[in-house]
Amino acid sequence: MAEPYPNLWRRSREEEYDITDYYILDNSFKSSFYQLDFNTFVDTHTKEAALRVSPSLVSLISYSGEKRIFWASGIVIECDNVNGTFFSTILTSASLLRLGASENSLPEKFKVEVILPDGSLCPGDIIAYDWHFNISAIKIQSSAPLPTADLRCLDDTIQTIDTSGHFPLEETSLRLLPRSNLFKLFPGDDFIALGRYHSEPYELMVAPGKFSINSCRLDCKELLRVNCKITKCGIGGPMINLYGEVVGINFYAEDFTPFLPMNVVSKWWEHVKGCREYDRPWLGMQVIRLFTAEMDELEKIVRKFPNISIGIVVEEVTPESPAAFAGIYPNDVIVQFDGKDVQSCLELFEVIWDKVGKRVDLVVLRASNGARLDLSMVVGGINTGQFNR
């Protein structure tokens, strides 16, 4: 197998915590969201949604020995009663577990502290982490139950006309809402990035913004983006909709906030709970949604296939990968995979997740010669510590 290459979407972080009085970095751990001017004015609907989630929103600090190495936010997703003792699971970023952005192992004498909304401090135990998707699960113990967040998966097959009928759901006992009831995305939808500050008064941090159809232009193609800005202590916090449902886990970029959709996070968590160890599917190609492709490439595709309306565009193919062996080339458009129409990266992800080691058929449109190709490939698998795509 070719040498794994690093996940470029993981941005480097400030290694030094010292900040001068004159120059406060808006991407430092010491800065609250509210040091960014556009987060200081929040409307009523945004406040109401954020307050629904705030009881489940925590801050986390990681240490190597006595040295603090990372500050993050996280969200409580489960709380189990075991003989009167409550064990809660927190989702956050795996950046919390690293000494540096390129490190892929836990530091020596590593520990995590979790700060609850009231300022209470709990030691955290690492349940699982995935360097590839940059997510982790932390468990804490408490004498009283902690509120858990409602989770919502997304439908990112973008439409331009709102036919979904966005409305609040009826109360349900399920925390992960049914797969048939996805939250339909539209460009310009309102979303809110949340974080919990790590020092008194442990404030709820809110960064409202609009969903953007544009690609994050980062290495992880499952990432979506909202045009809001957070600071680095918001890494690992939830992205929510206006109904107070968690739709993803936030990361950091300078000009927007990328987030990993709950579709990916929930699949990962289901596998972790079921078998702990697993092989993640690997195709060896980078793909993007059809209409987020560069204009010159999109024009070539539409010129050859004027009625095309669905598909994902292949940007890169890794040598000696399942995609390469199947005969897939850059700028090919995949319109069917395993007998299903494919309109987005999330749809492809969900189709391949349980297909490791299996042969699947796919239909590809090749703009270079106008051909429609019926191909097949065996879905590869990689260990959770590797970075191949």
Side-chain angles (χ1 to χ4, degrees):
M1 180 180 290
E3 186 75 12
Y5 57 87
N7 239 354
L8 302 179
W9 67 275
R10 293 197 185 90
R11 302 301 182 94
S12 61
R13 58 177 183 262
E14 302 299 324
E15 297 300 333
E16 297 296 330
Y17 193 61
D18 296 339
I19 301 175
T20 67
D21 292 335
Y22 176 72
Y23 183 58
I24 298 179
L25 297 174
D26 67 5
N27 63 354
S28 75
F29 294 114
K30 196 170 182 179
S31 299
S32 165
F33 292 7
Y34 301 121
Q35 289 180 265
L36 306 176
D37 289 341
F38 29 80
N39 292 332
T40 55
F41 301 100
V42 179
D43 65 34
T44 301
H45 296 302
T46 298
K47 291 178 180 178
E48 289 175 345
L51 289 172
R52 292 191 189 107
V53 185
S54 64
S56 307
L57 184 60
V58 301
S59 177
L60 303 97
I61 304 175
S62 59
Y63 297 79
S64 177
E66 298 303 314
K67 180 183 178 182
R68 295 184 180 188
I69 58 174
F70 206 92
W71 293 253
S73 298
I75 191 74
V76 179
I77 60 164
E78 293 180 0
C79 184
D80 299 317
N81 185 347
V82 181
N83 300 322
T85 300
F86 296 91
F87 295 90
S88 298
T89 301
I90 297 164
L91 284 179
T92 186
S93 169
S95 296
L96 181 74
L97 315 181
R98 290 188 171 98
L99 269 175
S102 61
E103 296 290 332
N104 305 324
S105 59
L106 295 177
E108 294 183 0
K109 299 179 180 179
F110 182 80
K111 65 179 181 180
V112 175
E113 289 182 346
V114 178
I115 305 171
L116 302 182
D118 64 0
S120 302
L121 199 65
C122 300
D125 294 321
I126 303 168
I127 305 173
Y129 52 88
D130 189 308
W131 298 131
H132 178 79
F133 288 124
N134 204 13
I135 50 178
S136 63
I138 307 294
K139 180 163 285 189
I140 61 173
Q141 179 179 330
S142 62
S143 58
L146 299 182
T148 57
D150 288 328
L151 313 180
R152 188 84 180 266
C153 292
L154 297 171
D155 177 355
D156 68 333
T157 55
I158 304 299
Q159 298 178 4
T160 56
I161 300 175
D162 188 345
T163 59
S164 68
H166 283 182
F167 50 83
L169 298 175
E170 295 180 359
E171 287 296 322
T172 173
S173 60
L174 293 176
R175 284 319 200 181
L176 180 60
L177 300 174
R179 303 291 300 135
S180 60
N181 204 350
L182 304 177
F183 186 85
K184 181 70 179 175
L185 285 176
F186 294 88
D189 274 350
D190 291 302
F191 285 96
I192 310 157
L194 299 182
R196 173 76 64 191
Y197 198 61
H198 48 75
S199 300
E200 289 190 76
Y202 309 109
E203 64 186 355
L204 168 65
M205 300 182 293
V206 179
K210 303 285 187 182
F211 171 69
S212 172
I213 192 175
N214 294 332
S215 170
C216 288
R217 295 298 167 191
L218 302 173
D219 190 53
C220 180
K221 297 306 179 183
E222 289 83 10
L223 290 174
L224 300 177
R225 65 182 280 175
V226 171
N227 292 337
C228 63
K229 291 180 70 173
I230 66 172
T231 53
K232 288 194 173 180
C233 59
I235 293 172
M239 183 67 73
I240 68 170
N241 60 21
L242 286 181
Y243 307 125
E245 299 162 336
V246 176
V247 299
I249 300 298
N250 297 328
F251 300 101
Y252 177 81
E254 290 184 1
D255 298 320
F256 58 90
T257 299
F259 70 97
L260 188 66
M262 196 51 60
N263 310 47
V264 179
V265 179
S266 61
K267 282 281 189 182
W268 171 77
W269 181 234
E270 288 169 8
H271 272 70
V272 166
K273 290 196 296 183
C275 54
R276 296 286 175 164
E277 297 288 337
Y278 66 95
D279 287 334
R280 187 191 305 107
W282 176 56
L283 302 180
M285 61 183 181
Q286 300 276 7
V287 296
I288 58 172
R289 191 186 299 110
L290 177 63
F291 286 99
T292 58
E294 295 293 341
M295 197 66 212
D296 57 340
E297 293 301 332
L298 189 57
E299 183 182 26
K300 293 175 185 176
I301 294 168
V302 173
R303 187 180 297 134
K304 291 290 185 180
F305 305 100
N307 296 320
I308 191 169
S309 61
I310 65 169
I312 52 176
V313 180
V314 178
E315 286 193 311
E316 299 176 19
V317 177
T318 303
E320 299 183 1
S321 67
F325 290 134
I328 295 174
Y329 290 92
N331 302 321
D332 281 352
V333 182
I334 300 172
V335 294
Q336 285 188 4
F337 197 96
D338 197 33
K340 299 179 178 66
D341 291 345
V342 177
Q343 301 184 61
S344 70
C345 300
L346 281 184
E347 279 194 339
L348 178 64
F349 169 85
E350 294 188 8
V351 171
I352 69 172
W353 185 264
D354 299 314
K355 298 289 191 299
V356 173
K358 297 179 181 179
R359 182 171 292 278
V360 296
D361 297 324
L362 58 156
V363 177
V364 170
L365 304 181
R366 185 159 292 164
S368 60
N369 58 12
R372 180 186 187 277
L373 305 173
D374 295 311
L375 305 176
S376 67
M377 72 161 65
V378 176
V379 178
I382 58 172
N383 184 271
T384 57
Q386 293 179 289
F387 291 105
N388 290 332
R389 292 282 308 160

